[in-house]
PDB file of all heavy atoms in Angstrom:
ATOM      1  N   SER G 219     -39.445 -74.824  44.143  1.00  0.00           N
ATOM      2  CA  SER G 219     -37.994 -74.668  44.229  1.00  0.00           C
ATOM      3  C   SER G 219     -37.229 -75.864  43.654  1.00  0.00           C
ATOM      4  O   SER G 219     -36.094 -75.723  43.200  1.00  0.00           O
ATOM      5  CB  SER G 219     -37.565 -74.444  45.684  1.00  0.00           C
ATOM      6  OG  SER G 219     -37.978 -75.529  46.503  1.00  0.00           O
ATOM      7  N   GLU G 220     -37.838 -77.045  43.650  1.00  0.00           N
ATOM      8  CA  GLU G 220     -37.153 -78.235  43.150  1.00  0.00           C
ATOM      9  C   GLU G 220     -36.937 -78.204  41.644  1.00  0.00           C
ATOM     10  O   GLU G 220     -36.006 -78.826  41.126  1.00  0.00           O
ATOM     11  CB  GLU G 220     -37.932 -79.490  43.538  1.00  0.00           C
ATOM     12  CG  GLU G 220     -37.959 -79.776  45.041  1.00  0.00           C
ATOM     13  CD  GLU G 220     -38.673 -81.070  45.358  1.00  0.00           C
ATOM     14  OE1 GLU G 220     -39.115 -81.745  44.410  1.00  0.00           O
ATOM     15  OE2 GLU G 220     -38.775 -81.410  46.550  1.00  0.00           O
ATOM     16  N   THR G 221     -37.786 -77.502  40.922  1.00  0.00           N
ATOM     17  CA  THR G 221     -37.682 -77.488  39.461  1.00  0.00           C
ATOM     18  C   THR G 221     -37.164 -76.168  38.903  1.00  0.00           C
ATOM     19  O   THR G 221     -36.821 -76.097  37.719  1.00  0.00           O
ATOM     20  CB  THR G 221     -39.051 -77.776  38.817  1.00  0.00           C
ATOM     21  OG1 THR G 221     -39.988 -76.758  39.227  1.00  0.00           O
ATOM     22  CG2 THR G 221     -39.571 -79.132  39.237  1.00  0.00           C
ATOM     23  N   ASN G 222     -37.080 -75.140  39.723  1.00  0.00           N
ATOM     24  CA  ASN G 222     -36.614 -73.842  39.232  1.00  0.00           C
ATOM     25  C   ASN G 222     -35.186 -73.964  38.706  1.00  0.00           C
ATOM     26  O   ASN G 222     -34.294 -74.456  39.386  1.00  0.00           O
ATOM     27  CB  ASN G 222     -36.667 -72.805  40.355  1.00  0.00           C
ATOM     28  CG  ASN G 222     -36.688 -71.388  39.821  1.00  0.00           C
ATOM     29  OD1 ASN G 222     -36.934 -71.151  38.638  1.00  0.00           O
ATOM     30  ND2 ASN G 222     -36.424 -70.421  40.679  1.00  0.00           N
ATOM     31  N   GLY G 223     -34.966 -73.515  37.460  1.00  0.00           N
ATOM     32  CA  GLY G 223     -33.648 -73.596  36.848  1.00  0.00           C
ATOM     33  C   GLY G 223     -33.436 -74.855  36.024  1.00  0.00           C
ATOM     34  O   GLY G 223     -32.457 -74.957  35.288  1.00  0.00           O
ATOM     35  N   GLN G 224     -34.343 -75.820  36.127  1.00  0.00           N
ATOM     36  CA  GLN G 224     -34.211 -77.056  35.355  1.00  0.00           C
ATOM     37  C   GLN G 224     -34.779 -76.879  33.937  1.00  0.00           C
ATOM     38  O   GLN G 224     -35.552 -75.960  33.664  1.00  0.00           O
ATOM     39  CB  GLN G 224     -34.956 -78.203  36.035  1.00  0.00           C
ATOM     40  CG  GLN G 224     -34.343 -78.674  37.342  1.00  0.00           C
ATOM     41  CD  GLN G 224     -35.027 -79.940  37.849  1.00  0.00           C
ATOM     42  OE1 GLN G 224     -35.484 -80.773  37.080  1.00  0.00           O
ATOM     43  NE2 GLN G 224     -35.092 -80.080  39.165  1.00  0.00           N
ATOM     44  N   GLN G 225     -34.399 -77.787  33.058  1.00  0.00           N
ATOM     45  CA  GLN G 225     -35.009 -77.834  31.731  1.00  0.00           C
ATOM     46  C   GLN G 225     -36.398 -78.457  31.868  1.00  0.00           C
ATOM     47  O   GLN G 225     -36.558 -79.495  32.515  1.00  0.00           O
ATOM     48  CB  GLN G 225     -34.163 -78.665  30.774  1.00  0.00           C
ATOM     49  CG  GLN G 225     -32.847 -78.015  30.378  1.00  0.00           C
ATOM     50  CD  GLN G 225     -33.047 -76.735  29.601  1.00  0.00           C
ATOM     51  OE1 GLN G 225     -32.574 -75.659  30.012  1.00  0.00           O
ATOM     52  NE2 GLN G 225     -33.745 -76.809  28.487  1.00  0.00           N
ATOM     53  N   ALA G 226     -37.381 -77.834  31.272  1.00  0.00           N
ATOM     54  CA  ALA G 226     -38.754 -78.332  31.379  1.00  0.00           C
ATOM     55  C   ALA G 226     -38.871 -79.761  30.863  1.00  0.00           C
ATOM     56  O   ALA G 226     -39.631 -80.564  31.419  1.00  0.00           O
ATOM     57  CB  ALA G 226     -39.702 -77.414  30.611  1.00  0.00           C
ATOM     58  N   SER G 227     -38.111 -80.083  29.835  1.00  0.00           N
ATOM     59  CA  SER G 227     -38.187 -81.424  29.257  1.00  0.00           C
ATOM     60  C   SER G 227     -37.647 -82.497  30.209  1.00  0.00           C
ATOM     61  O   SER G 227     -37.895 -83.685  30.000  1.00  0.00           O
ATOM     62  CB  SER G 227     -37.412 -81.476  27.938  1.00  0.00           C
ATOM     63  OG  SER G 227     -36.066 -81.087  28.128  1.00  0.00           O
ATOM     64  N   ASP G 228     -36.918 -82.075  31.240  1.00  0.00           N
ATOM     65  CA  ASP G 228     -36.384 -83.027  32.221  1.00  0.00           C
ATOM     66  C   ASP G 228     -37.288 -83.174  33.442  1.00  0.00           C
ATOM     67  O   ASP G 228     -37.025 -83.996  34.314  1.00  0.00           O
ATOM     68  CB  ASP G 228     -34.984 -82.585  32.693  1.00  0.00           C
ATOM     69  CG  ASP G 228     -33.959 -82.641  31.575  1.00  0.00           C
ATOM     70  OD1 ASP G 228     -34.151 -83.449  30.645  1.00  0.00           O
ATOM     71  OD2 ASP G 228     -32.980 -81.877  31.631  1.00  0.00           O
ATOM     72  N   VAL G 229     -38.340 -82.360  33.502  1.00  0.00           N
ATOM     73  CA  VAL G 229     -39.277 -82.410  34.627  1.00  0.00           C
ATOM     74  C   VAL G 229     -40.426 -83.338  34.244  1.00  0.00           C
ATOM     75  O   VAL G 229     -41.082 -83.111  33.214  1.00  0.00           O
ATOM     76  CB  VAL G 229     -39.809 -80.997  34.960  1.00  0.00           C
ATOM     77  CG1 VAL G 229     -40.852 -81.069  36.061  1.00  0.00           C
ATOM     78  CG2 VAL G 229     -38.651 -80.090  35.377  1.00  0.00           C
ATOM     79  N   PRO G 230     -40.668 -84.398  35.017  1.00  0.00           N
ATOM     80  CA  PRO G 230     -41.688 -85.393  34.647  1.00  0.00           C
ATOM     81  C   PRO G 230     -43.037 -84.802  34.239  1.00  0.00           C
ATOM     82  O   PRO G 230     -43.654 -85.270  33.278  1.00  0.00           O
ATOM     83  CB  PRO G 230     -41.809 -86.255  35.915  1.00  0.00           C
ATOM     84  CG  PRO G 230     -40.443 -86.176  36.522  1.00  0.00           C
ATOM     85  CD  PRO G 230     -39.977 -84.770  36.265  1.00  0.00           C
ATOM     86  N   ALA G 231     -43.491 -83.777  34.942  1.00  0.00           N
ATOM     87  CA  ALA G 231     -44.810 -83.214  34.635  1.00  0.00           C
ATOM     88  C   ALA G 231     -44.864 -82.574  33.254  1.00  0.00           C
ATOM     89  O   ALA G 231     -45.928 -82.490  32.634  1.00  0.00           O
ATOM     90  CB  ALA G 231     -45.188 -82.177  35.698  1.00  0.00           C
ATOM     91  N   PHE G 232     -43.705 -82.121  32.736  1.00  0.00           N
ATOM     92  CA  PHE G 232     -43.665 -81.454  31.440  1.00  0.00           C
ATOM     93  C   PHE G 232     -43.071 -82.322  30.332  1.00  0.00           C
ATOM     94  O   PHE G 232     -43.208 -81.989  29.152  1.00  0.00           O
ATOM     95  CB  PHE G 232     -42.833 -80.165  31.531  1.00  0.00           C
ATOM     96  CG  PHE G 232     -43.416 -79.110  32.416  1.00  0.00           C
ATOM     97  CD1 PHE G 232     -42.769 -78.726  33.587  1.00  0.00           C
ATOM     98  CD2 PHE G 232     -44.604 -78.487  32.093  1.00  0.00           C
ATOM     99  CE1 PHE G 232     -43.294 -77.751  34.411  1.00  0.00           C
ATOM    100  CE2 PHE G 232     -45.141 -77.502  32.907  1.00  0.00           C
ATOM    101  CZ  PHE G 232     -44.484 -77.136  34.071  1.00  0.00           C
TER     102      PHE G 232
END
Side-chain angles (χ1 to χ4, degrees):
S219 58
E220 293 183 2
T221 60
N222 201 15
Q224 291 188 32
Q225 290 296 122
S227 57
D228 294 333
V229 176
F232 295 114

